[in-house]
Amino acid sequence: MSSLHADYYADQLVQHQTELVENEAIAESTYRLRVACPSIAQRCVPGQFVMIRLADVNAPLIGRAFAIWDVIADSEGTPTYIDLIYLKKGSFTTACAESPVGTRVSLWGPLGNGFSNQNCDRLIMAVGGIGQTPMLLLGREALGQQSFDRESGWAKHAEVIYGARRQSLHAGVDQFRSAGFDVHLCTDDGSAGTRALVPDVLAERLKETDARERVRVVTCGPEIMMEKVAEVCAALRLEGRDVHCQVSMETPMACGIGICFSCVAKVKQDDGEWDYKRTCVEGPIFDAEKIVW
């Protein structure tokens, strides 16, 4: 992770009120919404997020953090719309899922530091649960299919290892495949792909890759899964493999702008000690080896 940059602070964000353009179910309890927000669409990089809340209502009062799944251009090629994927689970996401097209929403962002765009031979995105949401833009940028305000085309190959409890919870798989990513599905019950856990599939994939390759692993999902992914990568680094891992922390957030300190994670410092870092402004992307799990 790069050092904290002023661009990550709240005084750089854009606050925008707009309407739902689309809001549809794409998998079991999983929805994709689209809003017109060119001021955010033209500034974000893969791995950043927005805070969003339903406008004109008081419950729920605070916003929720959603990773930016996709950026869509208008008919003139100008980045205009952003897509967010969410799991219908709590009071906000339930209310959001029941909101029709035209519902007014308030959102602010882009927030967070985003993934680095470090050159590599192979990008492996290891995700579980709803953790696939920051990966579509990252993989497209890596392969040079979509450009942001930084270098693109920095990976030769991109693949996704996507775990879920069952097949019906996999969301966005077709878009991953359309982007040209190799997709490896795994489920707890064996209903799609292999019956295995994401870290185990990752370990097998890394065994199958050329040991001379520069590999970047990025991971997002349940914390225990990310911890095991980080352990797989750390073990290979000890063997001399060029394998680096970044994690996208999903620590619950209340404000998204660094004020409330509710989203802190334990992060190792250069002196070997750890300190609390705010996921919303000093993350959500961290070097996996820096996290105290």
Side-chain angles (χ1 to χ4, degrees):
M1 183 190 71
S2 60
S3 58
L4 182 63
H5 189 278
D7 286 349
Y8 307 155
Y9 284 119
D11 58 359
Q12 299 294 319
L13 65 81
V14 175
Q15 188 164 5
H16 196 86
Q17 284 214 357
T18 185
E19 297 179 351
L20 296 180
V21 176
E22 297 179 10
N23 192 24
E24 61 179 6
I26 58 172
E28 179 186 340
S29 301
T30 309
Y31 294 76
R32 178 190 59 81
L33 67 81
R34 176 172 297 176
V35 293
C37 190
S39 56
I40 293 177
Q42 294 169 22
R43 298 181 57 180
C44 66
V45 298
Q48 290 188 298
F49 65 96
V50 297
M51 297 293 290
I52 184 170
R53 67 181 297 272
L54 299 176
D56 307 319
V57 298
N58 293 325
L61 180 62
I62 63 174
R64 295 292 186 272
F66 287 173
I68 299 173
W69 162 252
D70 202 358
V71 173
I72 301 93
D74 63 13
S75 58
E76 297 180 352
T78 302
T80 300
Y81 304 94
I82 61 172
D83 281 4
L84 311 174
I85 288 181
Y86 62 97
L87 187 67
K88 180 181 175 182
K89 189 175 182 180
S91 59
F92 173 77
T93 50
T94 298
C96 199
E98 296 171 352
S99 297
V101 168
T103 298
R104 290 186 58 77
V105 297
S106 176
L107 63 160
W108 51 103
L111 298 166
N113 55 356
F115 291 105
S116 68
N117 58 338
Q118 180 182 354
N119 290 335
C120 63
D121 296 307
R122 183 179 299 269
L123 171 68
I124 302 179
M125 297 165 275
V127 304
I130 200 68
Q132 86 280 18
T133 52
M135 301 303 176
L136 181 64
L137 291 182
L138 180 67
R140 284 182 182 160
E141 180 193 60
L143 296 180
Q145 299 173 359
Q146 198 162 356
S147 296
F148 302 90
D149 190 21
R150 62 184 196 175
E151 180 184 355
S152 62
W154 42 264
K156 299 176 181 177
H157 178 86
E159 60 187 270
V160 179
I161 301 169
Y162 185 1
R165 294 194 303 276
R166 52 188 173 273
Q167 181 180 19
S168 59
L169 289 167
H170 280 135
V173 174
D174 289 344
Q175 284 178 273
F176 284 143
R177 288 180 173 142
S178 295
F181 311 161
D182 285 347
V183 178
H184 310 278
L185 300 180
C186 55
T187 47
D188 293 352
D189 62 1
S191 55
T194 58
R195 186 172 186 173
L197 300 176
V198 168
D200 297 329
V201 177
L202 173 65
E204 289 300 315
R205 287 293 304 134
L206 289 172
K207 286 180 183 178
E208 295 168 1
T209 61
D210 189 329
R212 296 170 294 181
E213 286 188 331
R214 296 168 298 163
V215 179
R216 278 195 57 202
V217 175
V218 294
T219 185
C220 184
E223 189 167 301
I224 185 61
M225 182 209 78
M226 293 194 291
E227 179 181 1
K228 298 302 180 184
V229 165
E231 289 176 359
V232 168
C233 296
L236 288 175
R237 283 180 60 79
L238 288 174
E239 295 175 7
R241 290 284 301 272
D242 190 356
V243 178
H244 294 267
C245 182
Q246 285 188 312
V247 299
S248 178
M249 301 297 288
E250 292 190 317
T251 313
M253 299 177 190
C255 73
I257 57 176
I259 295 174
C260 69
F261 283 79
S262 67
C263 64
V264 293
K266 293 180 179 179
V267 180
K268 295 176 185 175
Q269 308 304 295
D270 292 340
D271 61 5
E273 299 296 322
W274 65 265
D275 195 3
Y276 286 114
K277 298 296 181 182
R278 295 164 294 176
T279 301
C280 63
V281 293
E282 291 157 304
I285 314 302
F286 295 96
D287 183 336
E289 294 186 356
K290 297 287 189 179
I291 299 296
V292 180
W293 299 102

